[in-house]
Amino acid sequence: MCTSFWGLERFSFYNPHFQLFTPDLSDPELPENDIRSIALDSRGRLWAGNKDDEVCVYDSLFRLIGKLDVQGNLTLQPSKAGQLGRAYFIMEDSQQNIWIGTKGNGLICATPLGDKKYALKRFRFDARDMYGLSHNDVYNIFEDSKHRIWVATYGGGLNYMLSDENGEYQFINYRNNLKNYPMRDCARVRSISEDSDGNIWVGTTGGIIMFASDFTLPEEISFNRFSSVISDSLSLKSNDIHHVYFTSTGMYAVTFGDGLSKLIKMDNGKAIFKTYLMKDGMPSDIVFSAIEDGKKNLWLATENGLSKFDIATEQFENYPLKFQVSDVLFNEGIAVRNSNGEIIINTNKELCHFHPDSVSKSKFIPRIVLTDLRIGNESLRPGVEGSPPDYGVG
């Protein structure tokens, strides 16, 4: 490109590694584009809960199938959707039921009745019901290897569900039989997961809880809590856990404010951690989610963009979010990987999606070219009389 003052400029065009899907193209600032929760079902459909209190379902090409309304229909009529509450977590269980955890509006179970029809059952906190849900802020739902459904609440601790012969559910929590649960420190729960030995790991704002899932009575559960100890460099650096995530090689905890912690080993009941921070190459110490790709790299959604952590070399490659839409930031939530290996992460304005194999750092090393040298704002011209200028001394 020719310019009036700056000579000839060259532009290089490239295909961006990271793509954005915008649910409502009319305005990126709309709450419909602010995605809080995502999940993939067994049919490959993407479920997304936005801050317009909608639960939307998309096919593999991000085409809208429908929005879940209060009658359980997947509809394309916006006026019939909404009112379900703001979905903070979505998951599908082994029976293909869709579970939706909301902020302030309890738990919803959507049982499939057809291609676009679900029977909805809602569970809310009721102070009069000792065996009801312990809180209406539901931040995580998990099915363990014994097919128990666990519910994480942000204020009411941990629940697991029991069903009777009539299909009615009871919630076992600190208000009834989960008597040993550490409510004083761990009332606010964000994450539930399970390791290969059948231990349940719970991420809270008071650290991490671990217990065996092979209990007979909930009163017998022994809860082991791992928390930050200032004088212990091998403990967690932060008690504020966003997510406890198991890769093919180990367990990692992503935290709010103290980076990524890797479980090195268990030593006589004590958890030994190694923590990675900005000083180790991370773009931010605030991490929202983590997900492993097909080559055993760990992708981290942080406050300052995306980071790829090579588990083998313990090196970070950082990728800032640069899109045509400004101020795109990752949201708290769970990232997903589809059957094609593509990773999908929720943001405040769209869904970020990419294939890890297509992402790499540029290896181009530009030449250094000296175009001008000035003294006293006058250019030096070798071989030209009076250049360089003689300013004298004193």
Side-chain angles (χ1 to χ4, degrees), residues 372-387:
D372 194 11
L373 178 62
R374 298 188 179 197
I375 297 179
N377 206 32
E378 293 188 36
S379 296
L380 275 65
R381 297 286 186 261
V384 177
E385 185 178 356
S387 181

Side-chain angles (χ1 to χ4, degrees), residues 81-133:
Q83 301 178 28
L84 290 173
R86 185 163 298 177
Y88 261 45
F89 196 84
I90 305 172
M91 65 86 77
E92 183 187 44
D93 68 19
S94 57
Q95 303 300 311
Q96 298 185 329
N97 299 305
I98 302 295
W99 293 87
I100 302 169
T102 74
K103 181 177 175 63
N105 217 4
L107 175 69
I108 300 168
C109 178
T111 301
L113 299 178
D115 188 44
K116 293 186 177 182
K117 178 66 177 178
Y118 290 82
L120 302 185
K121 186 174 181 62
R122 188 186 291 273
F123 307 92
R124 291 189 179 94
F125 170 74
D126 183 349
R128 298 165 298 179
D129 184 0
M130 291 295 294
Y131 285 89
L133 181 66

